[in-house]
């Protein structure tokens, strides 16, 4: 065996040992904190929220068109359905219509505790340029999208994937704690 090969094997061996030590130290020093680690106890007055990032196939959205373009809501619904969303309905008149039309915004995303993760995913479809409105009293499993005056079109799949990566994991809104799925 040549000296170069012995040297290469020695370097690889040292790297494997260093990686093993790093993993062992990380596992030993791991101290998870927060409500989930404390037996799932929520602070008083908090509501349980589902902050798990879902697949598109599990997300239901309701779309309001507050743009000046007729058919923008239908276009978004069709685009989301073609991207495997479970449900995308356009509402023209509703019992709870958007009071403040987002004229100078791309969109407003309204959601409740059951759809924190889903709303996080929907934000990526607006490249994190939509305003999020959390209502802890909502009990439904849908995310409402109110298209605003600055909305043009949904981004490409690649842009959405990049936005999901940039957003990271869903963050819990104030007044909530993580729902234990286990």
């Amino acid at each position: 065996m040549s000296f170069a090969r012995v040297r290469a094997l020695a370097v690889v061996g040292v790297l494997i040992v260093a990686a093993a030590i790093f993993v062992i130290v990380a596992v030993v020093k791991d101290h998870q904190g927060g409500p989930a680690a404390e037996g799932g106890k929520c602070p008083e007055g908090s509501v349980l929220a589902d902050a798990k990032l879902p697949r598109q196939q599990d997300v239901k959205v309701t779309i309001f068109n507050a743009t000046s373009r007729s058919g923008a809501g239908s276009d978004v619904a069709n685009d989301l359905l073609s991207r495997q969303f479970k449900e995308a309905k356009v509402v023209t008149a509703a019992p709870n219509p958007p009071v403040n039309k987002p004229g100078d915004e791309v969109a407003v995303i309204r959601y409740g505790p059951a759809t924190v993760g889903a709303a996080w995913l929907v934000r990526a479809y607006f490249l994190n340029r939509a305003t999020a409105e959390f209502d802890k009293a909502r009990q439904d499993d849908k995310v409402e999208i109110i298209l605003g005056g600055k909305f043009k079109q949904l981004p490409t799949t690649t842009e959405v994937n990049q936005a999901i990566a940039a957003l990271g994991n869903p963050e819990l809104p104030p007044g909530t704690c993580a729902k234990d799925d286990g």
Side-chain angles (χ1 to χ4, degrees):
M1 199 180 302
S2 71
F3 178 70
R5 188 172 290 185
V6 171
R7 185 176 56 202
L9 288 174
V11 169
V12 169
V14 168
L15 289 174
I16 290 173
V17 170
I21 291 171
F22 178 76
V23 168
I24 291 170
V25 168
V27 169
V28 169
K29 291 191 173 206
D30 184 26
H31 299 289
Q32 296 288 327
E38 298 166 3
K41 296 178 185 174
C42 281
E44 191 172 325
S46 294
V47 295
L48 292 175
D50 185 1
K52 186 178 76 174
L53 192 64
R55 301 173 306 150
Q56 286 92 331
Q57 295 90 334
D58 300 326
V59 178
K60 299 177 187 177
V61 296
T62 303
I63 303 159
F64 296 92
N65 182 8
T67 69
S68 58
R69 290 184 303 147
S70 108
S74 297
D75 292 344
V76 169
N78 291 334
D79 199 4
L80 292 176
L81 288 171
S82 72
R83 296 181 193 207
Q84 308 303 312
F85 273 67
K86 183 174 188 174
E87 181 180 295
K89 292 185 178 179
V90 179
V91 178
T92 53
N96 187 20
V99 177
N100 297 323
K101 289 189 174 187
D104 61 343
E105 299 180 56
V106 173
V108 173
I109 298 172
R110 299 192 312 187
Y111 60 101
T115 56
V116 171
W120 199 262
L121 177 67
V122 171
R123 283 176 59 190
Y125 279 84
F126 293 91
L127 302 178
N128 199 24
R129 293 187 183 122
T131 302
E133 291 182 359
F134 175 72
D135 179 4
K136 72 180 191 176
R138 280 183 74 143
Q139 299 298 317
D140 63 351
D141 64 344
K142 295 182 181 176
V143 176
E144 289 182 353
I145 302 169
I146 305 165
L147 301 176
K150 288 189 176 178
F151 174 76
K152 302 295 178 214
Q153 67 183 27
L154 291 180
T156 65
T157 303
T158 301
E159 291 170 324
V160 170
N161 291 338
Q162 291 171 345
I164 291 170
L167 282 169
N169 291 325
E171 295 173 4
L172 290 171
T176 64
C177 62
K179 176 178 152 184
D180 183 19
D181 290 322

